[in-house]
């Protein structure tokens, strides 16, 4: 953690909420990207990101200065994001049930279908698998670092990575973006 | 930022190159509006008052509950006063200066008689019962 961050946190703890701005500016893109990958919707990503920073501000007194602030923040984002998606799923399932329509599939959410940027193939992954993929691709974090954020072991992260890749490979094959093993592999533009 | 090649590429047989553009990236997230204006409003209107009331200094708590020991002490004093006040005792006590009847002896005719003195509830009334001694 940088000296600036320590100072900003100390000022926030002293009651100056304006001191939180540099921390928000520095990390909001990471938080938004991760939240977007979890929820699949930019609007919901904004909501989750705002809730993340609010919760972080309220819990600054619990933050261990020995830890990395960004990872602590991304850990909150994961919890808030997954919680948000699950609540939404149960909400949608409830209304689908009472309108006598087909219930949502396990890995299906309306927000993911609505987002034009969000890759539809990602909706085949669970929330945690999307988190792993997002943190690996956007933040360049190792399995150990992702495990610290997800509060799980390195091996659990590797299992999630493996499952995510396997599902994506299956989806890419089915969509014809990659060739089956044995033939020359090509990635569609 | 170029992502690290993961260790389990062989197992899933798919490269980072093939999936690196799948998650929403920084570039796309940067297009979203800034968080600070809305966040600042929420911090000022909701979080700060909440935190301020949760973290009141000890002196404020002392002032806020100052009435409690005072009220308790006052109540206790009032109760003690009620218990100790001798509401009916004055009637039982002989009033200094009042006349008193003292019976030294009782005779019926010329003979001494047995007598009994009954003190009624009314301090002003004393009943003297006399009985002639029988042989």
């Amino acid at each position: 953690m940088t000296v600036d961050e320590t100072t900003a946190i100390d000022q926030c703890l002293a009651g100056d909420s304006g001191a939180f701005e540099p921390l928000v500016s520095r990390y909001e893109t990471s938080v938004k990207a991760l939240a977007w990958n979890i929820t699949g919707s930019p609007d919901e990503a904004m909501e989750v990101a705002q809730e993340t920073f609010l919760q972080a501000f309220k819990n600054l007194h619990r933050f261990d200065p020995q830890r990395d602030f960004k990872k602590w923040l991304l850990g909150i984002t994961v919890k808030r994001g997954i919680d948000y998606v699950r609540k939404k799923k149960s909400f949608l399932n409830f209304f689908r049930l009472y309108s006598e329509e087909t219930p949502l599939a396990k890995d299906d959410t309306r927000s993911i279908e609505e987002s034009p940027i969000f890759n539809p193939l990602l909706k085949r992954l669970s929330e945690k698998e999307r988190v792993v993929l997002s943190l690996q691709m956007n933040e360049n974090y190792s399995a150990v670092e992702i495990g610290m954020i997800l509060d799980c072991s390195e091996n659990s992260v590797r299992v999630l990575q493996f499952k995510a890749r396997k599902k994506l490979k299956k989806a890419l094959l089915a969509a014809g973006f990659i060739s089956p093993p044995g033939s020359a592999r090509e990635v569609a533009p | 930022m170029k992502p690290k090649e993961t260790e389990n590429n062989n197992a899933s047989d798919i490269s980072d190159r093939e999936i690196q553009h799948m998650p929403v990236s920084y570039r796309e997230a940067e297009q979203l509006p800034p968080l600070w204006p809305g966040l600042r409003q929420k911090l000022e209107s909701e979080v700060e008052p909440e935190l301020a009331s949760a973290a009141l200094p000890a002196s404020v708590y002392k002032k806020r509950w100052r009435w409690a020991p005072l009220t308790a002490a006052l109540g206790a004093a009032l109760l003690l006063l009620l218990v100790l006040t001798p509401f009916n005792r004055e009637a039982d006590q002989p009033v200094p200066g009042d006349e008193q009847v003292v019976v030294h002896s009782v005779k019926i005719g010329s003979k001494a008689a047995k007598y009994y003195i009954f003190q009624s509830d009314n301090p002003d009334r004393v009943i003297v019962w006399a009985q002639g001694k029988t042989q």
Side-chain angles (χ1 to χ4, degrees), chain A residues 7 13 17 24 48 54 77 89-90 92 98 104 112 119-120 133-134 148 154 160 164 166 176:
Chain A
T7 313
L13 288 172
S17 63
V24 174
V48 169
L54 282 174
T77 314
K89 269 186 192 170
S90 52
L92 289 176
Y98 282 88
L104 283 170
I112 288 171
N119 192 316
L133 201 66
S134 176
M148 285 162 69
E154 182 187 346
L160 286 168
K166 204 173 171 185

Side-chain angles (χ1 to χ4, degrees), chain A residues 59-110:
Chain A
N59 291 290
L60 272 177
H61 60 283
R62 289 186 190 160
F63 171 67
D64 176 8
Q66 304 300 318
R67 284 189 64 187
D68 184 81
F69 186 74
K70 186 180 179 182
K71 288 195 180 93
W72 182 70
L73 206 56
L74 292 177
I76 298 174
T77 314
V78 170
K79 287 192 186 84
R80 301 298 302 185
I82 291 177
D83 191 44
Y84 187 95
V85 171
R86 284 182 186 163
K87 275 182 189 164
K88 189 176 175 179
K89 269 186 192 170
S90 52
F91 176 80
L92 289 176
N93 275 334
F94 178 82
F95 283 103
R96 288 256 177 128
L97 191 69
Y98 282 88
S99 62
E100 295 179 350
E101 285 180 16
T102 318
L104 283 170
K106 256 188 172 179
D107 59 347
D108 188 15
T109 62
R110 203 170 269 183

Side-chain angles (χ1 to χ4, degrees), chain B residues 103-115 128-133:
Chain B
V103 178
H104 293 290
S105 64
V106 176
K107 283 184 180 179
I108 296 179
S110 58
K111 289 181 179 175
K114 249 180 160 180
Y115 66 93
V128 180
W129 176 268
Q131 184 186 354
K133 284 183 181 172

Side-chain angles (χ1 to χ4, degrees), chain B residues 76-123:
Chain B
L78 197 66
L79 195 68
L80 200 66
L81 198 69
L82 284 171
V83 169
L84 297 180
T85 303
F87 287 109
N88 297 313
R89 288 185 190 175
E90 278 180 16
D92 297 338
Q93 302 290 326
V95 181
D98 271 8
E99 289 183 2
Q100 289 185 18
V101 176
V102 179
V103 178
H104 293 290
S105 64
V106 176
K107 283 184 180 179
I108 296 179
S110 58
K111 289 181 179 175
K114 249 180 160 180
Y115 66 93
Y116 303 93
I117 299 170
F118 300 98
Q119 174 67 61
S120 74
D121 289 342
N122 186 346

